[in-house]
Amino acid sequence: GPGGKPGMGGHRMGGPGMGGSMDHNLFPPEFVLMNQMALGLSTEQVASIKGRVGNTQVQVLDAQVQLHRVTEELHAALENTTVDLIPTLGLASRAMELERQIKMAHLNLMIHVKNTLTEEQQDKARALRPQRRSSPTQDDAKE
């Protein structure tokens, strides 16, 4: 869709090292819900995915708010002429832990989505998914 940066596979699955073959086997919840008719999702499946999306958004927002604050504190600590090593490393460690929590929450959600789908539905989802192999210019030409 518009606004997607080229080369960024699953933009919701943040970070390097979380791309390629792994997210080929996972499906963003938004994509699955937008294609619920084509995939033949049951009302139970839709409810299960929506419920998990809601929980994840709350978790992630909470972690992002904390991360923003910790990051500001970290920047402030690094501005000092002499950096107070131990507390500054503590802040950096906290920031990394919050980033990890956010990534784990997204991964947890994506795995839940996959486990909610039958094998047939997963195959359909793979077929429906826009192919990322070709360059964005070729993709645009097809549409």
Side-chain angles (χ1 to χ4, degrees):
K5 293 192 196 86
M8 302 256 310
H11 65 285
R12 304 240 161 201
M13 302 269 311
M18 300 278 290
S21 60
M22 192 163 91
D23 73 9
H24 172 71
N25 291 302
L26 295 171
F27 312 101
E30 302 87 348
F31 167 78
V32 171
L33 292 171
M34 293 292 288
N35 291 285
Q36 58 181 281
M37 297 301 287
L39 296 172
L41 298 190
S42 69
T43 43
E44 293 80 12
Q45 286 175 308
V46 171
S48 174
I49 292 169
K50 278 164 69 174
R52 187 60 68 99
V53 167
N55 294 345
T56 303
Q57 282 173 340
V58 170
Q59 263 185 310
V60 166
L61 180 64
D62 188 45
Q64 283 171 334
V65 168
Q66 290 179 58
L67 178 59
H68 186 74
R69 188 169 147 206
V70 170
T71 303
E72 285 188 344
E73 290 174 17
L74 182 57
H75 286 310
L78 292 171
E79 278 172 11
N80 297 325
T81 306
T82 303
V83 175
D84 201 351
L85 184 66
I86 302 302
T88 304
L89 290 178
L91 285 169
S93 175
R94 180 84 187 111
M96 290 172 199
E97 173 56 26
L98 287 163
E99 285 170 359
R100 192 188 73 83
Q101 282 175 23
I102 291 166
K103 286 178 185 171
M104 288 299 283
H106 283 306
L107 181 58
N108 191 324
L109 171 61
M110 300 271 276
I111 291 171
H112 175 79
V113 169
K114 177 169 183 163
N115 287 344
T116 303
L117 301 178
T118 65
E119 193 177 347
E120 292 83 351
Q121 288 170 330
Q122 290 179 29
D123 290 342
K124 276 185 197 163
R126 273 190 206 92
L128 280 169
R129 192 160 48 185
Q131 293 304 307
R132 285 246 160 73
R133 275 175 226 127
S134 57
S135 71
T137 46
Q138 286 171 310
D139 275 0
D140 294 347
K142 264 182 265 173
E143 286 171 1

